[in-house]
Amino acid sequence: MRRKLVVGNWKMYGRLARNQTLLQGILDGVGQLRNADYAVCVPYPYLAQAQSMLQGSNVAWGAQNLSPHEEGAFTGAVAPGMLADFACRYVIIGHSERRGLFHESNEIAAAKFAAAQKAGLTPIFCVGETLSERESGVTEQVVAIQLDAVLSRFGAAALSRAVIAYEPVWAIGTGKTASPEQAQAVHAFIRRRIAQQDSQVAQGLCILYGGSVKPANAVELFAMPDIDGGLIGGASLVADEFVAICRAAQ
Ligand code: PEP
């Protein structure tokens, strides 16, 4: 039986005072829950704040990106070991905003995946199709190519220390959620594809759904057999909403 996981992606939102209220609200709301796992992926400058407020609790923390390099002359970049210094458990990789706005290719996402694992971090590897790809009927092909960037380079075994997030691009920040059935179909496809290499890894793999998850739709989504929780953007910035979603994963 896989444990459910709910991860907040704060994107480029936050201020010290606001974060303090949000993190305290999350701790108050989920601190006693034991049947699922929770985390927040915060902007780099707030990792120390997240660490100091969350350490010892049942809420883990992480980052939203990292450099594939260990160190060097890469102005503005953040090395995997730096995230490890702040005891990050997770790092989001290949988010559609990174792929789209920052032109990150499958190759770059794969290099970041390997760098994260080397530093002891758990990658949350994002895949998902655009609206035009869905409408053209190529969702599975697109997701397969994104997944294979990792699967064909590092093998299924690498996924035993990773999380996959299926995030249809058309559902991110748009208020349009994939129906539970639409999401389930892609999650099952992802699990089947990995099972072709290693059925044990596939069965144990945590596959999150992301894309306008709200308290009103979380229960239905999380009830699907291959949906193991959520990657939550907008709703993770509102303590009551994030807590309600976390409770839906119980
Ligand atoms: C995300 O940023 O990963 C995301 C799913 O955002 P939202 O929940 O706002 O759609």
Side-chain angles (χ1 to χ4, degrees):
M1 181 79 179
R2 293 182 297 272
R3 268 172 84 80
K4 294 251 190 294
L5 170 67
V6 179
V7 181
N9 171 17
W10 287 9
K11 312 197 188 202
M12 201 177 71
Y13 292 100
R15 287 292 184 275
L16 281 173
R18 230 193 289 157
N19 303 344
Q20 166 129 14
T21 310
L22 175 55
L23 291 171
Q24 193 55 56
I26 294 170
L27 284 173
D28 292 345
V30 312
Q32 303 305 318
L33 305 182
R34 290 284 173 267
N35 295 335
D37 295 317
Y38 313 103
V40 288
C41 289
V42 305
Y44 296 136
Y46 302 128
L47 284 173
Q49 185 186 25
Q51 181 179 20
S52 105
M53 285 192 71
L54 300 176
Q55 62 193 346
S57 80
N58 61 339
V59 183
W61 58 95
Q64 303 165 19
N65 183 32
L66 85 180
S67 168
H69 304 286
E70 272 178 37
E71 59 183 1
F74 301 103
T75 301
V78 172
M82 296 174 185
L83 302 184
D85 274 350
F86 287 89
C88 287
R89 184 177 304 166
Y90 298 105
V91 59
I92 298 171
I93 289 173
H95 190 281
S96 67
E97 286 153 16
R98 301 288 326 168
R99 291 178 187 268
L101 301 170
F102 298 92
H103 312 293
E104 286 190 4
S105 62
N106 284 322
E107 290 65 33
I108 290 174
K112 290 183 173 189
F113 180 100
Q117 287 195 327
K118 193 168 174 211
L121 306 163
T122 299
I124 299 175
F125 190 78
C126 301
V127 298
E129 81 288 2
T130 62
L131 184 58
S132 68
E133 287 164 344
R134 174 160 283 265
E135 286 173 348
S136 321
V138 294
T139 296
E140 290 190 354
Q141 286 94 313
V142 169
V143 168
I145 289 168
Q146 292 168 336
L147 200 58
D148 286 358
V150 165
L151 204 51
S152 60
R153 277 181 181 77
F154 313 122
L159 291 173
S160 64
R161 294 175 291 122
V163 169
I164 299 287
Y166 168 58
E167 298 208 303
V169 181
W170 48 271
I172 297 178
T174 58
K176 280 188 211 154
T177 321
S179 69
E181 294 73 22
Q182 280 176 320
Q184 164 60 27
V186 181
H187 282 232
F189 168 75
I190 291 170
R191 208 179 296 286
R192 276 199 310 275
R193 190 161 185 95
I194 295 163
Q196 286 166 1
Q197 277 199 21
D198 189 322
S199 59
Q200 215 176 330
V201 168
Q203 271 319 304
L205 180 67
C206 177
I207 308 178
L208 306 181
Y209 168 77
S212 299
V213 178
K214 305 287 176 210
N217 57 28
V219 172
E220 266 191 315
L221 284 160
F222 296 170
M224 302 311 281
D226 287 294
I227 299 184
D228 304 313
L231 181 56
I232 319 298
S236 73
L237 299 169
V238 181
D240 287 352
E241 291 198 14
F242 189 63
V243 166
I245 295 169
C246 290
R247 288 183 176 275
Q250 276 292 292

